[in-house]
Amino acid sequence: MKFNQSNIKKAKKYLDKNYCIGVPTETVYGLAANAYSNYAVKKIYKLKKRPISNPLIVHYSNISDLKKDCLINDNFLRLYKKFSPGPITYILNLTKNSKISKIVSNKKNNLAVRFPKHKIFRKLLNKLNYPIAAPSANISTRLSAVQASDIKEDFGNKIKYILDGGKCSIGLESTIIDLRNKPRVLRLGGLEVSKIEKALGIKIKININPKKKIAPGQSRLHYSPGVPLRMNVVKPKKYEAYVLLNKRKNNHPNFFYLSKRSNLKEVAKNLYSTLRKIKNKGYKAIAVEKILNTGIGRSINDRLKRASKF
Ligand code: TXA
Ligand code: MG
């Protein structure tokens, strides 16, 4: 992993000057900027070509910083103690005195917040005196970036700096849970919902495809590899790249493997990079083998389903 103190210093310098930079998290890379600065946050929307109506997640290093901007509650405390830092994002109400830029959450009085686990990003957050607004570091509707080279591919030299933290260990975006009233999940992701249910001792409503969209990430147009994709494929067509769960004996050039032994965590970690690789090799279509819909497999299938609506 290419990382040292001077890289963190450099990243801080750019952020202090209100530039956007790429940052590693355990889920996917983020396109980061000072969440207290309208000027910096506007740059995120512009670079990503993201509609201003689609709010951003704000990243904090600890709960005492969060309390300056958000109202917390019992459910939050329980989940925070158990799962943060980690791949879970909470929707909370803003405090009256919050300094968060109004364009982070489209002038609404709530905010999506996360405590990332990636060591390098945490080191950086600890040095800043503002939280970091960061959506996934990709052009809107496309696949999230899971390594520094993915960001370069999408943005070229439009981004001043990328803090390289190696390949993301989880590879899927965080699970989003709205905690303002009765808890409900708005996006499946890196943390399994069953674990959240266990921690809160209740069954949680999953609201990922509502008629009225709350989070634009719920849109079917998200997470597209840029070429048509089919799921649950037993027999691929000749021209399709065939994405498989594990290595096979007959090693056909159109076959791509997500894991050595069908380990779903490994599958998640390799999913986006494999789809990118296939697209870059020039394939015009992708077929994916059936993936078990349990545990993290649910989140993987959620992304594939959206990708298949391209
Ligand atoms: O793992 C992750 O969550 C990554 C890393 C970088 O932290 N971030 C990420 O951000 O996936 P983004 O912007 O690609 O997806 C955030 C999703 C969007 O679908 C957005 O609509 C939703 O969160 N969101 C943000 N703020 C919200 C809010 N206040 N209420 C409801 N949904 C919100
Ligand atoms: Mg995104």
Side-chain angles (χ1 to χ4, degrees):
M1 208 165 2
K2 298 164 217 142
F3 144 71
N4 56 43
Q5 285 298 340
S6 80
N7 289 353
I8 290 188
K9 260 196 194 151
K10 222 177 194 172
K12 174 176 162 34
K13 202 177 84 191
Y14 281 117
L15 290 168
D16 284 347
K17 287 187 174 162
N18 284 329
Y19 284 114
C20 287
I21 64 165
V23 294
T25 91
E26 72 281 17
T27 58
V28 298
Y29 271 75
L31 185 58
N34 176 356
Y36 288 162
S37 160
N38 282 326
Y39 178 81
V41 172
K42 260 186 207 157
K43 283 188 184 164
I44 295 180
Y45 284 95
K46 197 167 166 220
L47 272 167
K48 258 191 84 108
K49 301 196 176 90
R50 178 170 175 130
I52 203 91
S53 58
N54 189 356
L56 308 176
I57 297 176
V58 174
H59 300 71
Y60 288 87
S61 74
N62 60 64
I63 195 167
S64 61
D65 285 346
L66 172 82
K67 280 182 184 165
K68 296 176 200 157
D69 296 318
C70 288
L71 298 168
I72 62 166
N73 55 42
D74 286 349
N75 282 334
F76 167 78
L77 278 175
R78 246 186 246 166
L79 296 179
Y80 175 83
K81 278 182 195 145
K82 195 140 182 116
F83 302 119
S84 291
I88 177 167
T89 293
Y90 314 97
I91 312 285
L92 297 170
N93 283 315
L94 284 167
T95 57
K96 275 210 181 83
N97 303 325
S98 159
K99 289 200 279 182
I100 295 291
S101 157
K102 290 280 179 280
I103 46 176
V104 163
S105 52
N106 196 26
K107 294 185 185 145
K108 297 223 168 63
N109 66 347
N110 57 69
L111 189 69
V113 302
R114 186 161 108 73
F115 303 85
K117 195 171 188 167
H118 197 291
K119 262 195 195 145
I120 297 176
F121 191 17
R122 290 192 66 74
K123 280 198 166 113
L124 172 63
L125 279 171
N126 285 332
K127 289 200 184 326
L128 305 173
N129 49 16
Y130 46 82
I132 286 295
S136 52
N138 55 284
I139 302 283
S140 261
T141 76
R142 292 304 166 98
L143 290 176
S144 300
V146 292
Q147 50 206 345
S149 58
D150 296 344
I151 309 184
K152 289 212 183 93
E153 201 176 286
D154 274 20
F155 296 99
N157 54 12
K158 285 189 187 142
I159 291 184
K160 281 276 171 202
Y161 186 67
I162 300 169
L163 185 58
D164 194 338
K167 192 167 175 183
C168 300
S169 60
I170 293 178
L172 288 178
E173 301 80 358
S174 60
T175 300
I176 302 182
I177 184 161
D178 188 347
L179 294 177
R180 288 171 298 166
N181 299 300
K182 208 168 165 203
R184 56 181 178 158
V185 166
L186 302 185
R187 177 174 76 182
L188 298 177
L191 182 66
E192 292 161 38
V193 176
S194 60
K195 290 187 180 162
I196 302 177
E197 288 182 323
K198 207 171 157 204
L200 293 182
I202 52 169
K203 183 108 189 90
I204 297 173
K205 202 169 165 200
I206 297 182
N207 209 358
I208 53 171
N209 287 311
K211 285 210 177 79
K212 187 169 174 283
K213 287 186 181 57
I214 306 147
Q218 294 166 323
S219 150
R220 290 215 176 276
L221 267 176
H222 268 70
Y223 315 109
S224 163
V227 290
L229 179 147
R230 299 194 296 137
M231 294 171 73
N232 306 320
V233 175
V234 181
K235 220 175 157 213
K237 305 209 165 89
K238 259 195 196 142
Y239 57 88
E240 282 177 323
Y242 193 26
V243 179
L244 296 156
L245 277 173
N246 54 33
K247 221 166 161 63
R248 300 294 152 84
K249 274 189 200 128
N250 54 338
N251 198 6
H252 191 278
N254 288 357
F255 287 8
F256 295 83
Y257 310 101
L258 294 173
S259 160
K260 272 194 202 119
R261 288 183 206 88
S262 300
N263 175 310
L264 282 181
K265 284 204 165 132
E266 211 183 321
V267 168
K269 181 174 175 180
N270 292 324
L271 181 68
Y272 289 160
S273 54
T274 303
L275 295 179
R276 257 183 204 264
K277 189 162 83 191
I278 290 170
K279 162 92 191 316
N280 290 342
K281 279 181 183 275
Y283 282 94
K284 295 285 177 275
I286 303 173
V288 187
E289 186 182 36
K290 186 181 173 74
I291 292 174
L292 220 59
N293 207 33
T294 56
I296 202 75
R298 259 181 104 179
S299 307
I300 298 169
N301 281 320
D302 171 80
R303 298 304 188 271
L304 286 172
K305 208 164 158 187
R306 291 172 206 276
S308 72
K309 294 293 185 301
F310 171 74

